[in-house]
Every structure is written in structure tokens, then in C-alpha cells.
DNA sequence: AATAGATTGTTAAAATATTGACAAAGTAAG
DNA sequence: CTTACTTTGTCAATATTTTAACAATCTATT
């Protein structure tokens, strides 16, 4: 499912690499590096310089022949492409182990996540304070979403509750869902679901370790 | 980097889908479903039945013409392929927000993760008990790894400590690292690193929301 | 201002991945 | 036991992704 941005159709494979570009460029920005060539950056990232240049070319021309890329310019371009400057208003539902980790993580506000409220259905934790947020009851979720014009909902409830919460979020006007529950969520066409399956990484590691001795370049 | 399992070379794209097969089959097993066809399962998963059959064919023949697949058999086959039965001995380093979420998560022991010990360098939390584990000092890490013959290390420290911890793990004989820090880790050839960048999912969501109206099938 | 060297953006060739089609081989039911 | 139906595993066609190559164009230095 490639995406048309402006006049150009961008392949899915390219889109999947954008967050990686963001991560590596952020490091270079923090280091205060002024310029970088496609060869240097691609070596850091473990990809070919050809792929890096090809990927960027879908979005515009960001470099200069004979010079390379200005790090801050390229970083800002990637931020712009990703939509980081949009500051989407967000709620999180399910203040358990994972929910708390996300709420306390500073990296997300840097990425432009504007967390406005956190919700749970467990009376024992409603009212609790976590990193300046007070846990609200899911009963209040629906009206809260509309009052605050929330755009993104993060689901960190057990899988059994995920669809119900998604329905609530959508009814409240949310158009993007970041789902951590290992549960497929059905949504209308105009709502976007991004699933993050943390456990998948572990299984990939298992597989590679089991077949390690047989690892082979084709 | 395709992988040879037995006599056959398995494409990377197939390997990346294996954890998804695991997840969906686990649901069917839990539901007590006896049989499933490639058409049914692929529809659940949002892929083509052709791809499902093609993927499985790299590992053997698991179905029967005219019948489909026996759910438990296929599930066990996927578990076997992934190496879930291996029960790799594991430590976790960095008992912060994310570390605690992982330690408390039940899904990982089901996947065959055999967590043996958890470590941190913050005196304030060394000695604390979390889900039957006592937080140990990183000072004890190196000898512990060898004594217990640990195979996998999970890194949930800040990025700044990740390489140092990885070096320690490798020196102690670990051959698999599951890294959550947004930091590239250099390792010798025989050590496998699996990076899980939780934040990437958020950026993908941002991108898709920003370009939503332009979403387009090629 | 001229020249040597560097590096981009783009093209097209090569490599991978996905899909549709179908023979082979089973099931299920009379 | 036969027939109609289902569904697999595989093949090959199609589509997508990656890579190598290079003209164009900039930098840096004399
Ligand atoms: N913790 C991890 O490391 C981890 C890893 C991979 C996947 N996950 C997935 O993330 C999700 C959360 O995991 P967790 O470990 O934080 O679980 P958890 O049990 O610690 O937290 C779940 C929270 O959701 C709340 N909740 C339950 N039903 C609700 C409802 N209907 N409305 C609002 N809140 C509700 C609970 O009260 C609890 O606070 C699960 O789906 C889990 O499978 C977690
Ligand atoms: N929390 C999240 O939701 C989240 C999301 C994406 C990525 N991450 C990444 O995961 C990692 C952990 O995040 P967190 O939110 O749990 O951070 P955290 O600060 O809550 O926890 C880090 C823990 O590591 C310990 N530590 C620091 N240096 C150490 C060392 N040298 N040896 C042993 N322990 C050490 C600290 O004492 C602390 O307990 C970070 O790299 C972060 O970027 C976290």
C-alpha cells in the first residue's frame, strides 16, 4: 500500500525506513555534526548509500553535489515528512505495566506526542498521579475525547478489552490508534491503526539463534 | 540475509512474518479451533492465501488437500520453527519503566523466555523484589552470566549505557541480545542483536495520519 | 578562474517478493 | 466405490525493491 505524497507515489518499503532515518539523524543533530554524506550516514545505518539517496529522492532534493547533506536541514526535512510538527493530541488507555512505561518515557514528547489524558477501568488506580497525569475513569473517556478534540488513542489494555476501547475511541472522534495489545482491531476506513507487537522481536531473536550456524548470504 | 533451514533457503520476508503466524495461531489454539484452511487463516491475518501457503512451504508440508491444516499441529510446527521450545536462559539489565513492564509481562514466559535474573546499577533499587525476581547489582552480572550459562540478554538501560552493557553480556558468554535502547550496538559476528524500537510505531502512525487523505493503492 | 575531487539525484539492471493458476491429492457423501 | 468438491503445494508470471553505475554539478584549492 504505497502512499502518494504530493505528486509522487512512495513505496511501502521506503516508508518503513523513515523512522530509522529519524533516529539516526537525531543522534547526529545531538552530536552537533554539521554535514554528512550519503556514504557516511548509510554506513552508520547499515544500508547502502544508493538506497539512502533513492529513498530521499521520493520526497525532494535535500543534498548538494560534492558536499553532502546539512545534518539539521535533513533532520528537519525528515521531521516534516513524518508529520512530527503536527503535535497530535493523544490519550492512553490502560495504565498497567506497559502503559506506565510509555507515560514516563520522555522520547515521545520529543517526537511530538502531545499526551493529554490517561484512562483505566480499575478503581484502585483511578485518581493516581503518574508523571503529572491523573488517571481518569474510562467512563469519562468518551466525553473527554470530544471536549479536548483528541486525535490519537494509545491502547495498552489486555487484548480482551482492545476492540471495545477502540470502538470508544473512534466514537469519540479519534482517527489514529496505536495498539499494543496482541489483538486485531477492526476500524472504519478513515481510521488508521498502527500495531506494535513488542513480543515479535523476541521470536525473531529465537529464530535467528536457533538457525544461527546456518545463517547464510544467498 | 536469507537463512538456510535444513536444505532450503528461506527469504527474509518470510522470516519476518513468522511471529505473526505465531500470534494468530495462538489465538486459534486458545479458541479450541480444530482445523483451518489457508483461505480462512489468511483472511484473519490480512494476507493472501497464496502467500500463506508459499511461506509454509519453505519449512515443510503441514496441511492436507481438501481439508486444510490441523490448528494445533500447525501451531506446534511454527513454535518448532521459531525455536520456542529451546527455553533460552535470559537476564534483563536496566530495571526502569520499560524493564519493569517486560519483567511483569506473562506473554514472554509463554513464548519460552526463561528469565533468570534482573540487574541495575542504581543502588536505590538493587535488592528490590519485582515479580519474584530480586534486582541485582550490575557488578554481579559478569560472574552470574557464566555461572548460570545465560544465553540471552535484554537491554532496557538508557542508550548511553547500552554498548557497555552489551560488551559485558558478550564477555559473559551471551550470544543473543534483545535491545530496546535507541542505540546501535556493535557485536562480534557470532552474536545476534535484535533491536526493538518501540518509538518507530508512533512515527509510522504520524506519517500515515499526515498523508491519510492521499493514501492510495498503486 | 581553472582544475581535481567529491557527491548528488536518477536511470535501468538485477535481485527479491508476491500473486494467480492449477495439477495432484485429499475429503465427504451418496 | 464413485463422484463432486475442496484445498494443498508448487510453478511461473508479475510486481516490487535494491543496487550499481554515471552524468551533472557542486566544493575546495591553487
Ligand atoms: N508489558 C509488556 O511488556 C507487554 C509486552 C507485549 C505486549 N503487551 C501487551 O500490552 C497490553 C498491556 O500489557 P500490560 O503488561 O501493561 O498489562 P497490565 O495488566 O499491567 O495493564 C493493563 C491495564 O489495562 C487496564 N484495563 C483493563 N481493561 C480495561 C478497560 N476495559 N478499560 C480501561 N482499562 C482497562 C487494567 O486495569 C490495567 O491497568 C496487553 O495487551 C499486553 O498483551 C505488554
Ligand atoms: N519507556 C518506554 O516506553 C520506552 C520506549 C521506547 C524506548 N525506550 C528505551 O528503553 C530504554 C529504557 O527506558 P526506560 O523508560 O525504562 O528508562 P528508565 O530510565 O526508566 O530505566 C533505565 C534503567 O536503567 C538503569 N541503568 C542505567 N544505567 C545503567 C547501567 N550502566 N547498568 C545497569 N543499569 C543501568 C537505570 O538505573 C534505570 O533503572 C531507554 O533506552 C529508552 O530509550 C523506552
Amino acid at each position: 500500500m504505497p502512499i502518494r505524497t504530493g505528486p509522487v507515489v512512495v513505496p511501502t518499503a521506503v516508508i518503513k525506513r523513515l523512522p530509522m532515518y529519524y533516529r539516526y539523524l537525531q543522534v547526529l543533530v545531538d552530536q552537533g555534526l554539521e554535514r554528512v554524506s550519503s556514504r557516511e550516514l548509510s554506513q552508520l545505518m547499515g544500508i547502502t548509500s544508493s538506497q539512502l539517496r533513492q529513498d530521499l529522492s521520493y520526497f525532494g532534493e535535500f543534498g548538494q553535489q560534492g558536499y553532502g547533506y546539512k545534518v539539521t536541514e535533513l533532520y528537519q526535512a525528515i521531521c516534516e515528512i513524518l508529520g512530527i510538527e503536527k503535535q497530535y493530541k493523544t490519550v492512553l488507555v490502560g495504565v498497567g505495566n506497559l502503559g506506565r512505561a510509555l507515560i514516563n518515557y520522555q522520547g515521545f514528547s520529543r517526537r511530538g506526542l502531545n499526551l493529554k489524558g490517561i484512562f483505566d477501568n480499575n478503581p484502585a488506580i483511578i485518581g493516581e498521579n503518574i508523571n503529572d497525569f491523573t488517571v481518569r475513569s474510562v467512563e469519562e473517556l468518551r466525553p473527554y475525547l470530544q471536549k479536548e478534540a483528541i486525535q490519537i488513542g494509545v491502547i495498552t489494555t489486555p487484548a480482551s478489552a482492545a476492540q471495545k476501547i477502540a470502538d470508544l475511541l473512534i466514537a469519540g472522534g479519534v482517527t489514529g490508534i496505536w495498539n499494543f495489545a496482541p489483538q486485531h482491531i477492526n476500524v472504519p476506513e478513515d481510521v488508521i491503526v498502527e500495531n506494535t507487537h513488542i513480543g515479535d522481536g523476541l521470536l525473531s531473536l529465537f529464530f535467528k539463534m536457533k538457525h544461527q550456524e546456518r545463517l547464510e548470504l544467498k
Side-chain angles (χ1 to χ4, degrees), chain A residues 176-191:
Chain A
I177 292 177
W178 192 15
N179 173 45
F180 286 86
Q183 167 73 42
H184 182 88
I185 292 179
N186 292 304
V187 299
E189 258 205 359
D190 55 339
V191 174

Side-chain angles (χ1 to χ4, degrees), chain A residues 92-103 119-120 125 130 156-157:
Chain A
L92 180 145
V93 186
V95 186
N97 293 302
L98 185 57
R100 282 160 203 262
L102 298 177
I103 294 161
F119 295 82
D120 204 290
I125 62 174
I130 298 170
T156 48
T157 64

